[in-house]
Amino acid sequence: MKCKNLKRSLAAVAASLCLAGIFAGCGTPKTQVGYIRAERVMKESAQITAIIEEGNAKLTDGQKKLMELEKKRAELGEEEYMKQGQAIQMELSGINQEYTEKVRSTLNGTLEEICKAKKLDVVVTNDNDAKLIMWGGVDITDEVIGKLQKK
C-alpha cells in the first residue's frame, strides 16, 4: 500500500517538474539563427576563390614534384624514393591545411562581423544537399559574399 502511494507521489512530482521546465522556457528570448549557402560563398566570393586557386596552384606544383620523383624511382632506389615521397606528401598535407585554415579564418572573420551587426546567435550552412533549416532563419549568404568582395 505504501509503495503504491510513494510511486504515485514520485510520478506527480516528476510531472510537476517537467511542466515547470516547459513553462520556464516560455519567457526566454528567441535564438536568432542565420544561415549561409556555403557552395555559393565558395563560388561567388572573389577573395575565397583567390585563396583556393592559390592553394590549388601550390598543390599542383607538389603533384608535379611527385611525378618527377616517380620518373627517378629506379635510379634513387626504393628506400630513398619512399623517403622523398613521404616528404612531398607531408608538404602537400601542410599546404592543404594552411589554405583550408586561410579560407576558414577569412570566412569566420566576416561571419563574426555580420553576426554582431545582425545580433545572430548562431550561423549554420544550409546547402541543397544538407538542408538544416526548412523554414525561418536569416539568409546572410549575399551579405557574406558582398563583404568578402570588399576586403
Side-chain angles (χ1 to χ4, degrees), residues 8-9 16 21 27 41 58 62 76 93-94 113 118 122-123 125 127 130:
R8 286 182 185 160
S9 296
S16 299
V41 172
K58 287 189 176 188
L76 288 174
S93 179
E113 289 175 27
K118 291 192 169 274
V122 66
V123 174
T125 60
D127 290 316

Side-chain angles (χ1 to χ4, degrees), residues 64-131:
K64 287 178 184 175
K65 286 180 188 178
L66 281 174
M67 289 170 44
E68 290 171 13
L69 181 64
E70 184 65 35
K71 290 176 185 176
K72 297 178 185 177
R73 185 176 192 163
E75 64 188 69
L76 288 174
E78 198 61 31
E79 190 174 319
E80 185 61 26
Y81 168 78
M82 294 298 283
K83 182 179 173 184
Q84 288 185 20
Q86 286 178 342
I88 294 171
Q89 288 291 345
M90 293 285 287
E91 180 183 336
L92 290 173
S93 179
I95 290 168
N96 190 38
Q97 189 173 8
E98 174 187 352
Y99 282 89
T100 298
E101 185 54 38
K102 279 186 181 183
V103 168
R104 183 180 298 122
S105 66
T106 300
L107 189 55
N108 283 348
T110 302
L111 288 173
E112 187 176 338
E113 289 175 27
I114 294 170
C115 281
K116 286 181 182 176
K118 291 192 169 274
K119 297 181 179 162
L120 299 173
D121 297 309
V122 66
V123 174
V124 296
T125 60
N126 199 43
D127 290 316
N128 290 332
D129 59 339
K131 208 76 155 139

Side-chain angles (χ1 to χ4, degrees), residues 2-39:
K2 272 187 169 180
C3 192
K4 272 188 176 178
N5 287 337
L6 182 60
K7 284 181 182 178
R8 286 182 185 160
S9 296
L10 288 175
V13 169
S16 299
L17 288 174
C18 286
L19 285 173
I22 289 170
F23 289 117
C26 289
T28 60
K30 283 184 167 180
T31 299
Q32 294 295 320
V33 178
Y35 65 90
I36 62 169
R37 301 190 188 283
E39 293 170 357

